[in-house]
Amino acid sequence: MSSKMSRRKFIQAGATAAVGLTVVPSSVLGKSMGHMAPSDKLNIVGVGIGGMGFANLKNLESQNIVGLCDVDWKYSQRVFDYFPKAKKYYDYRKMYDELGKTIDGVVVATADHTHAIIAAEAMTMGKHVYVQKPLTHSVYESRLLTNLAKKHKVATQMGNQGSSGPGVRQVIDWIRDGQIGEVRKVETFTDRPIWPQGLMRPKQVDKIPSTLNWDLFIGPANKRPFNNIYHPWNWRGWWDFGTGALGDMACHILHPVFKGLNLGYPTKVQGSSTMLLTDCAPNAQMVKYIFPARDNMPKVAMPEVEVTWYDGGLQPFRPEGVPASKSLNDQGGGVIFHGTKDTLICGCYGVNPWLVSGRKPESPKTQREVTLSHEMDWVRACKESPENRVETASPFSQAGPFNEMVVMGVLAVRLQDLNQELHWDGENMKFTNIPADAKIRTIIEDGFKITDGHPTFNKTWTEPVNANEYAAELINHSYQNGWKLPAMP
């Protein structure tokens, strides 16, 4: 008998089981049985805690926060102070080794390029995972996490918190009720980036702070000298670490589009941007996706649809009927569904949906209402058995394919020098119409200067490389420095 359970409690637990109650504390059945009582607390660790990870963990503080891991202990000091009982780590692998047998869930909020490997290792250990958006840095990584979640039957959630909100549910209900008719065109935008982009790689080498483990930050990416411009937070604009404004915000803004229109893999994509540099995302970009027709819903057809993304200050033209004084930017962005009966507009995170006609339909509710926070709804799912689990609002079964769409759009921008519409085979994760002998190169430095009053560019380009090989590397990264992903199930 466990030393943590008295004889009286043991007898009482046995009596409870004998009368046929289905909810028994995990201290009796054990967490290995696949479920926990709602009153039990999860043992949770956080990896990447200095930024958004801190907000996630504070929303989970009703549980046991037992481990905290970050490569920068100065940036994370406030989090260590907030959770003084949690054990501190630089390297998540050491934390997994020491705490792995006792933890139930892992929250991942590191730079984009390390989301996949941290979450994948946790799932292969049978741990539930909550991963900040974008779910991963590449298409292949998204597919991997989707398949691992299915194989290991763990509870999962991507950190696009708007998916748990009422706005997204309202958008979906109106679309499925046929209130705006068939949708063949959607336009979306964000006001990001709000971090530096369009930059050339810095030549200056800065001293690595004593509190930062730069090698662990680099992880599976190509090694580069430290510069203060990369960390903290500004890593989002650098291709090796982040996915720019599209990767950062499309998981919020495109979610009601993806779910409301039952989208799957796009078949065609084009990208365009301001000057595209080798190392850094552009200042502004546009991406156009084409999705094939899907199965019709009972009240509305799902024809082929064009979805366009804008960022960096670019916005779609205003639809007819929108009041002249009304901003389309609501909490950082917006979505315009052009229907055959009406136009539906909502903000970032799906907030505040409205119809241009002014109608406010009372449509049947089709979506589960989330009454907890986005994080605590994940906790709820963690405590349910795989057989009886009610999925979260953004489980990897949905978030994985959705994130593939997002980061594939990043590829369209990075492949724009091919000057063609790209055809995408989603099942096999490859572009099908890049000529076998096509070459691609990118700008290392723009060489801009003014000579005798005349602006000139003396651009330095990379050597041309095979475009199919270049695209394949963007789709499925070659991990560096000894790092390796688990095999694809």
Side-chain angles (χ1 to χ4, degrees), residues 138-257:
S138 74
V139 171
Y140 177 88
E141 291 170 342
S142 293
R143 186 75 56 88
L144 175 66
L145 294 197
T146 302
N147 291 348
L148 286 174
K150 181 179 180 180
K151 175 182 178 180
H152 295 285
K153 300 180 180 180
V154 292
T156 57
Q157 181 91 294
M158 180 166 71
N160 55 330
Q161 63 270 22
S163 60
S164 287
V168 170
R169 296 195 292 271
Q170 182 69 86
V171 167
I172 295 170
D173 290 343
W174 281 347
I175 290 174
R176 295 189 179 180
D177 195 34
Q179 291 293 338
I180 64 171
E182 296 178 6
V183 177
R184 297 180 181 271
K185 179 181 176 182
V186 181
E187 295 176 293
T188 67
F189 73 95
T190 181
D191 59 9
R192 305 289 177 100
I194 52 176
W195 50 84
Q197 287 193 184
L199 302 176
M200 291 172 286
R201 186 165 174 165
K203 296 180 179 179
Q204 178 178 327
V205 177
D206 291 334
K207 182 179 179 181
I208 301 173
S210 61
T211 54
L212 171 65
N213 189 319
W214 181 237
D215 285 341
L216 286 177
F217 179 91
I218 291 287
N222 290 310
K223 288 191 175 182
R224 67 173 67 198
F226 175 72
N227 184 283
N228 289 309
I229 200 169
Y230 300 132
H231 174 80
W233 202 68
N234 288 334
W235 51 261
R236 289 197 178 278
W238 299 93
W239 289 133
D240 275 0
F241 310 132
T243 46
L246 176 59
D248 180 52
M249 294 304 291
C251 289
H252 293 309
I253 293 169
L254 288 176
H255 182 257
V257 183

Side-chain angles (χ1 to χ4, degrees), residues 65 246 469:
I65 309 302
L246 176 59
E469 294 176 1

Side-chain angles (χ1 to χ4, degrees), residues 102-136:
T102 63
I103 63 177
D104 302 300
V106 179
V107 175
V108 182
T110 57
D112 298 351
H113 73 299
T114 51
H115 282 187
I117 193 166
I118 297 168
E121 290 186 22
M123 286 192 285
T124 59
M125 296 166 61
K127 310 305 178 184
H128 308 292
V129 289
Y130 180 107
V131 182
Q132 261 307 326
K133 52 77 204 168
L135 186 64
T136 68

Side-chain angles (χ1 to χ4, degrees), residues 116 123 134-149 158 251 265 396-408 429 475 479 485 488:
M123 286 192 285
L135 186 64
T136 68
H137 195 260
S138 74
V139 171
Y140 177 88
E141 291 170 342
S142 293
R143 186 75 56 88
L144 175 66
L145 294 197
T146 302
N147 291 348
L148 286 174
M158 180 166 71
C251 289
Y265 301 127
F396 292 0
S397 58
Q398 296 176 23
F402 171 38
N403 199 76
E404 287 189 33
M405 164 196 174
V406 172
V407 292
M408 195 272 279
M429 296 183 285
I475 293 165
Y479 274 33
L485 285 168
M488 178 74 76

Side-chain angles (χ1 to χ4, degrees), residues 353-374:
W354 56 284
L355 301 181
V356 171
S357 66
R359 296 183 302 116
K360 295 181 179 179
E362 293 292 331
S363 295
K365 296 185 182 300
T366 63
Q367 305 299 300
R368 178 180 69 92
E369 184 177 359
V370 179
T371 57
L372 304 168
S373 69
H374 196 58

